Amino acid sequence: MHWLLLLGCLWLLAVPLASSIFQRPTGSPAPPRLQYLLEPLHATVHTQRGATATLPCVLRTLPHNYRVKWSKVEPANYRESIIIITNGLYHKNYGPLSPRVRLRHSHRYDASLTITNVALEDEGRYRCQLVNGLEDESVSLMLHLEGVVFPYQPSNGRYKFNYHEAKRACEQQDSRLATYQQLYKAWTEGLDWCNAGWILDGTVHYPIINSREPCGGRLLLPGVRTYGARDKQKDRFDAFCFTSALQGSQVYFIRGHLNFKEAGQACRNHGAAIAKVGQLYSAWKFSQLDRCDGGWLADGSVRYPITTPRERCGGLPDPGVRSFGFPSKELRTYGTYCFVGK
């Protein structure tokens, strides 16, 4: 009997102890429910370059003397840039997005943001904030472009770009510096590259699928290796660029034995322009362009896109855009890849 009484006492002591483990600690309230803004059904809006995209922001009710402010979080400096402010009757646009944004305003509770002719730099996180004195609240949404990340270096070899030069180089190839999220996603999809490159926030990384000696050693696990933040003026690396499909565009090949100048003229004769590196990557990724023929591109490099790997087309086991580097522009050995936009 004594041991049963002792066991009962221990159980009574244990009940409040166990229940306290699973209770919410005092001083840690649940996050407040939105009072004025509706929670969006989907936190990510998927779109394509050149399309029109709408980021939803809808009010439950209209408080007195309120404003709605749309802003974008810039990954290069982690600051928010104001895009548009409205009080329900009037609005004002701000910043470089100004000519391409408007409020959808399909009803009086609708403060959704519409972006026309979506560009590469539009991808990222947006915030719709209701400003109402002490009761401010906001919703956050992600605008996502399906795209492809590719490593890029100039004709004079690897590790020649400071940050600003890398940024310019990507833009010249119809792309932009990739974000970390874009580079990480590309790594999960198979991007394996041993040379370190700048990304948009000023940090330097390289993605490794197959651990090997020249790329940090065999003992390091696969992953996106990092050099961290570097001096944007002095330090020099390659670049990781991001591009996306452009609606209504096409990349095609013209066969021939052309030097670089003749390649550009051949495209112009067809009402096109010689393709940029980003445009070829986009056609490979989204249009499944597959050719075993090396062709000139606008930067003076010679490349060819392979979606179905085969022995006679480089012999590599994985799909990709293969490169012959930057041969002499006087060589009459290759055809050319041309680009036609909208």
Side-chain angles (χ1 to χ4, degrees):
M1 288 294 294
H2 293 297
W3 67 270
L4 286 173
L5 288 172
L6 179 60
L7 186 61
C9 292
L10 289 173
W11 182 82
L12 289 172
L13 287 170
V15 168
L17 178 62
S19 63
S20 68
I21 292 172
F22 296 104
Q23 287 174 353
R24 183 183 297 276
T26 55
S28 300
R33 289 174 58 87
L34 291 173
Q35 182 179 354
Y36 295 108
L37 296 177
L38 286 174
E39 193 73 43
L41 287 175
H42 304 287
T44 301
V45 174
H46 296 267
T47 188
Q48 288 183 309
R49 187 157 53 136
T52 296
T54 297
L55 298 166
C57 185
V58 178
L59 282 69
R60 298 174 189 270
T61 184
L62 302 178
H64 293 291
N65 301 319
Y66 78 94
R67 289 179 300 152
V68 171
K69 179 175 73 174
W70 274 101
S71 57
K72 183 175 187 287
V73 180
E74 301 294 349
N77 52 26
Y78 301 104
R79 294 180 181 175
E80 288 195 19
S81 300
I82 297 175
I83 299 170
I84 197 166
I85 296 177
T86 180
N87 63 2
L89 295 174
Y90 307 101
H91 69 271
K92 185 173 181 180
N93 294 14
Y94 297 86
L97 264 174
S98 180
R100 296 189 291 112
V101 295
R102 58 180 171 81
L103 292 170
R104 182 173 64 180
H105 217 58
S106 57
H107 52 80
R108 66 195 190 108
Y109 298 99
D110 185 13
S112 302
L113 182 74
T114 295
I115 305 173
T116 60
N117 194 22
V118 170
L120 289 172
E121 59 269 21
D122 296 343
E123 176 164 289
R125 186 163 299 281
Y126 291 76
R127 189 159 76 110
C128 176
Q129 181 181 15
L130 181 114
V131 182
N132 183 37
L134 298 177
E135 298 179 295
D136 296 358
E137 57 187 44
S138 64
V139 294
S140 182
L141 299 114
M142 190 77 182
L143 185 66
H144 175 73
L145 277 75
E146 279 298 322
V148 57
V149 172
F150 61 94
Y152 189 74
Q153 58 184 224
S155 59
N156 57 341
R158 72 172 196 160
Y159 293 175
K160 301 296 182 182
F161 294 136
N162 68 22
Y163 172 81
H164 306 287
E165 292 164 346
K167 187 171 182 289
R168 264 194 313 276
C170 288
E171 290 165 357
Q172 289 167 356
Q173 297 309 314
D174 193 43
S175 58
R176 71 187 301 234
L177 279 176
T179 64
Y180 181 82
Q181 289 78 8
Q182 290 164 348
L183 180 62
Y184 185 89
K185 183 173 183 289
W187 168 71
T188 66
E189 294 171 349
L191 181 60
D192 182 285
W193 197 254
C194 205
N195 295 343
W198 293 102
I199 64 171
L200 187 58
D201 64 3
T203 57
V204 175
H205 309 267
Y206 64 103
I208 294 296
I209 298 288
N210 302 306
S211 299
R212 51 202 186 272
E213 281 308 324
C215 308
R218 296 178 183 276
L219 297 180
L220 283 179
L221 292 174
V224 178
R225 313 269 173 80
T226 180
Y227 287 3
R230 311 300 290 190
D231 189 307
K232 292 182 178 180
Q233 293 287 353
K234 296 178 182 177
D235 289 326
R236 295 189 172 271
F237 298 95
D238 291 345
F240 285 106
C241 305
F242 171 83
T243 193
S244 180
L246 181 61
Q247 287 188 336
S249 65
Q250 181 188 9
V251 172
Y252 62 91
F253 181 74
I254 294 180
R255 189 184 299 277
H257 297 283
L258 309 170
N259 64 29
F260 177 71
K261 186 176 180 180
E262 291 166 343
Q265 187 59 51
C267 290
R268 289 191 292 274
N269 291 344
H270 286 76
I274 189 168
K276 299 178 179 181
V277 177
Q279 292 162 350
L280 183 65
Y281 268 93
S282 179
W284 164 73
K285 177 76 172 180
F286 299 105
S287 302
Q288 287 73 54
L289 184 62
D290 184 289
R291 286 206 69 103
C292 212
D293 306 281
W296 291 103
L297 296 177
D299 66 340
S301 66
V302 173
R303 305 174 195 250
Y304 62 102
I306 296 296
T307 56
T308 305
R310 47 209 186 268
E311 191 62 37
R312 293 185 180 181
C313 298
L316 296 176
D318 299 315
V321 175
R322 320 282 197 236
S323 175
F324 287 122
F326 294 83
S328 168
K329 292 184 177 181
E330 301 306 316
L331 277 180
R332 283 192 169 93
T333 307
Y334 307 104
T336 183
Y337 288 95
C338 303
F339 173 81
V340 178
K342 288 184 178 181

